[in-house]
Amino acid sequence: MTVLVVVLSACNQTYSNLRRAEDRLIANYISRNQLNIMYEEPEADYVWAEKDYLKVPGYDNFYFHLIERGDSVRYDTISDTRIDTVDLKIMANDLIVVRYKQFELTEYADTMSYWTTLDQAYPYEFHYLNTSDCEAVGWHLAVKYMKYPNSQCQIIQPSKLGFDVDQNTVTPYGYIMKIKVKQ
């Protein structure tokens, strides 16, 4: 009888069962926080409300919220005039410097903070679109939608778009991220 219970318990932990539990956890987080889910990317000048999240097309359960747009052009701070017309969009292989907070999607979630030098001496760095530097595809997607240096966002990232350890444990996370581009 004990062997049957162990076998049945092991069967309940299949990857597909873990993924369904992950989908429910993400749905519960969205519902509990009353997030407004958008299914099309808003216009470039759209002002994101606090609970506006884009369900990123082509990715299951990946949600993006822009907190701060970042620097799209350079300005002379003394005269407040534009000093160049170069679009500062982040390009492939740019070195991205990230400060972030990671939180679980459960109701009373633990939060890991890597937001300041008091939390972590050095920020996380990776080359944009180079998954050998950063395997978390969700982070590359976040940078794609942030578009510019000095942007800040919040994402809901399913495990399959996360870091290897997240994929292995089928654990989704939320992240608040702020980025810079290292010159």
Side-chain angles (χ1 to χ4, degrees), residues 6-175:
V6 170
V7 169
L8 289 175
S9 294
C11 291
N12 286 334
Q13 294 303 317
T14 65
Y15 180 73
S16 60
N17 287 342
L18 292 171
R19 284 285 298 120
R20 278 193 291 279
E22 177 183 43
D23 291 345
R24 283 192 304 276
L25 180 61
I26 292 170
N28 288 340
Y29 177 84
I30 290 168
S31 175
R32 188 173 60 252
N33 290 284
Q34 301 175 344
L35 302 181
N36 174 42
I37 304 303
M38 303 180 299
Y39 294 92
E40 293 181 13
E41 185 176 359
E43 297 294 322
D45 59 348
Y46 179 76
V47 177
W48 292 65
E50 182 180 345
K51 295 188 182 262
D52 286 348
Y53 279 74
L54 172 66
K55 182 178 187 312
V56 175
Y59 296 91
D60 293 338
N61 286 325
F62 183 79
Y63 297 88
F64 173 85
H65 168 74
L66 186 64
I67 297 171
E68 190 171 319
R69 192 166 312 279
D71 302 331
S72 59
V73 292
R74 288 190 182 98
Y75 283 90
D76 180 338
T77 55
I78 296 171
S79 66
D80 199 31
T81 58
R82 194 173 176 159
I83 56 175
D84 66 21
T85 57
V86 174
D87 188 0
L88 296 179
K89 273 190 180 175
I90 295 171
M91 304 297 287
N93 223 28
D94 279 349
L95 184 57
I96 306 299
V97 179
V98 182
R99 287 289 183 182
Y100 66 96
K101 294 178 186 178
Q102 173 189 347
F103 56 93
E104 296 174 348
L105 302 180
T106 56
E107 193 163 353
Y108 301 104
D110 287 334
T111 300
M112 300 291 292
S113 183
Y114 304 96
W115 201 250
T116 69
T117 54
L118 293 175
D119 300 326
Q120 173 104 7
Y122 299 100
Y124 187 85
E125 295 182 356
F126 67 96
H127 288 92
Y128 177 51
L129 298 180
N130 182 343
T131 55
S132 64
D133 276 9
C134 173
E135 72 273 12
V137 172
W139 279 35
H140 293 276
L141 285 169
V143 171
K144 174 186 174 185
Y145 282 93
M146 283 192 272
K147 298 178 185 163
Y148 303 109
N150 301 317
S151 294
Q152 188 173 330
C153 78
Q154 184 165 337
I155 60 173
I156 300 168
Q157 177 174 275
S159 62
K160 64 185 175 182
L161 297 178
F163 291 94
D164 288 342
V165 69
D166 308 336
Q167 294 173 26
N168 292 336
T169 59
V170 192
T171 306
Y173 285 105
Y175 290 95

Side-chain angles (χ1 to χ4, degrees), residues 1-10:
M1 184 67 158
T2 305
V3 172
L4 180 61
V5 171
V6 170
V7 169
L8 289 175
S9 294

